[in-house]
Amino acid sequence: MGNILTLAYLIDWGWVRIGPPYIYINIDPVFLHIGPLHLTWYGLMYVVAIIMGLWVIRGYTARMGISNDIKYRVVWWCIVAGLIGGRLYFVIQQPNFVSFYLANPQHILATWEGGMAFFGAIFFVIPVLFWRAKVERINPLVAIDAGVLFAAAGQIFGRIGNLINGDIIGYPSTLPWSTVYQNPTSYACLNPATCNVPVQPAALYELLANIALLVIMLFLSHRLRRPGVLMLVYLFGYVITQFLLFFERANTVVTFLGLNWGLKQAQWTSLIVFILLIPLTFLVFRFSKPVPGGEIPATYGIPQKPKPDTQKPALEETTGEEERLETPEVEYTAAEGAEAVEDKQTEAEESEERIES
């Protein structure tokens, strides 16, 4: 029977098999063991996400007038803020936040234990981008536009990590593209109810949504001239897709302010962020002006430090040389004039003596 099923697979690479009837994933989340050190696919995808994010925004930052020096100085701040924010927002949502995390605070920032919430990264990174833009004397909205483009590209690889891990699980399903996690070390198999059970491929849905959003943003990035609009496109797109996709994710339903609408934590967050985006949209269109053609978007309207006058020392040096050259000539001419006056006085005296005699 096993041989018959194996022959029936459309694709059989060992670590992934594609139906019929489902998609079977048999991947260990840890791809390399070095003593006590475990290197995970999810961590590797973070590294790839950073590299690909920088690659995707390279053309955009060049068009906006953001130098590579500024870009690299800012991006490391954002990576740290994103990791801290994503981890903290995940931790505070956990039902054992007080009993486990506050009782064992060393686990709060242990990102290698799994668990990140992208909304937390957004909440931390946007203020950091605004601050660093002020320090670098570039338009904060231009910096944030580049940041969300980076995030949209990087998220794709984060979702690949989720898909390998089995840490984003949908509801049980019999759809032909349902996923079945088979590796006993995957996160899905930590729960017997989701191990070797076909479920909605929620991570794949998120991956496809991220790709679609990135394509839209790349298209608009060549056409939008008002700083901040690309940020709005990303945030609206992200909260809407999150709200809809979480209906297929088997996360816990929670109440908010006494409201029991059958929503998950991320859906409540999406609703709140969506409401906050409405006044933010008004502010962007009210105060952010389109950049005229020929201007540098990153620095347009932003006061810059005065450039040092490199010509002034040369002028002063030249002036000094001229003075040094002219001074002896003036003194020499004056001496000659004094001698001429003395000669004339002597001649006059001699003339008077001859007259008297």
Side-chain angles (χ1 to χ4, degrees):
M1 184 65 178
N3 292 334
I4 294 175
L5 288 176
T6 302
L7 292 173
Y9 291 132
L10 299 176
I11 293 177
D12 185 356
W13 294 334
W15 55 275
V16 62
R17 300 182 180 93
I18 298 181
Y22 307 120
I23 300 173
Y24 301 86
I25 299 177
N26 184 15
I27 306 176
D28 188 338
V30 178
F31 71 87
L32 184 61
H33 298 265
I34 306 176
L37 181 63
H38 297 168
L39 301 181
T40 65
W41 288 106
Y42 190 66
L44 177 63
M45 287 300 106
Y46 263 69
V47 176
V48 175
I50 293 169
I51 295 171
M52 294 305 297
L54 288 170
W55 183 79
V56 167
I57 68 170
R58 73 194 191 289
Y60 182 78
T61 53
R63 293 196 305 274
M64 296 298 106
I66 300 175
S67 68
N68 284 333
D69 288 341
I70 293 176
K71 179 172 63 177
Y72 290 122
R73 281 199 298 267
V74 172
V75 75
W76 299 120
W77 284 96
C78 294
I79 290 170
V80 173
L83 291 174
I84 294 174
R87 179 62 178 174
L88 289 180
Y89 194 64
F90 169 82
V91 167
I92 64 176
Q93 295 180 60
Q94 303 311 302
N96 60 345
F97 171 63
V98 175
S99 61
F100 178 71
Y101 287 104
L102 288 186
N104 305 278
Q106 70 272 18
H107 292 281
I108 291 178
L109 294 180
T111 56
W112 54 90
E113 295 179 356
M116 298 288 285
F118 197 75
F119 270 121
I122 293 175
F123 298 152
F124 271 61
V125 170
I126 288 182
V128 168
L129 270 172
F130 194 93
W131 163 57
R132 292 308 306 172
K134 289 291 188 181
V135 172
E136 300 290 350
R137 293 181 181 269
I138 60 176
N139 188 328
L141 291 179
V142 173
I144 294 174
D145 283 345
V148 296
L149 195 60
F150 175 95
Q155 270 185 294
I156 294 172
F157 299 93
R159 296 311 180 196
I160 295 175
N162 295 136
L163 195 59
I164 293 172
N165 273 354
D167 55 9
I168 293 182
I169 300 296
Y171 290 113
S173 170
T174 57
L175 292 171
W177 55 83
S178 299
T179 52
V180 180
Y181 286 94
Q182 298 179 310
N183 195 289
T185 60
S186 71
Y187 284 83
C189 284
L190 296 178
N191 181 2
T194 56
C195 188
N196 288 297
V197 175
V199 295
Q200 287 270 18
L204 180 60
Y205 295 157
E206 300 235 16
L207 172 62
L208 296 175
N210 291 149
I211 292 174
L213 184 56
L214 177 62
V215 170
I216 293 171
M217 293 175 64
L218 287 173
F219 174 80
L220 294 175
S221 67
H222 289 271
R223 290 159 178 80
L224 296 174
R225 303 193 64 84
R226 188 189 300 269
V229 176
L230 199 63
M231 169 193 69
L232 295 174
V233 171
Y234 172 76
L235 292 176
F236 272 115
Y238 184 68
V239 299
I240 291 172
T241 55
Q242 284 290 283
F243 183 83
L244 296 176
L245 291 175
F246 261 78
F247 282 114
E248 299 300 330
R249 285 181 58 165
N251 289 55
T252 305
V253 172
V254 298
T255 60
F256 179 71
L257 298 178
L259 300 174
N260 187 6
W261 292 355
L263 302 179
K264 287 97 173 183
Q265 177 66 46
Q267 291 176 304
W268 285 113
T269 305
S270 296
L271 279 177
I272 295 171
V273 175
F274 184 89
I275 293 171
L276 294 175
L277 284 176
I278 296 174
L280 180 61
T281 302
F282 171 79
L283 291 174
V284 168
F285 278 88
R286 173 68 176 82
F287 295 104
S288 179
K289 304 301 180 184
V291 179
E295 296 288 347
I296 300 175
T299 56
Y300 177 69
I302 306 298
Q304 301 295 305
K305 290 182 179 179
K307 295 182 179 180
D309 189 355
T310 56
Q311 299 298 322
K312 188 174 181 181
L315 289 175
E316 290 179 349
E317 187 177 344
T318 303
T319 304
E321 290 178 357
E322 290 177 353
E323 289 177 353
R324 287 193 298 272
L325 290 172
E326 290 174 358
T327 301
E329 294 179 0
V330 172
E331 291 177 353
Y332 179 72
T333 304
E336 284 184 337
E339 290 179 0
V341 170
E342 289 179 359
D343 291 342
K344 289 182 179 180
Q345 289 178 347
T346 303
E347 291 178 358
E349 290 174 356
E350 291 177 352
S351 299
E352 288 178 356
E353 289 177 357
R354 284 196 297 270
I355 292 171
E356 289 176 358
S357 58

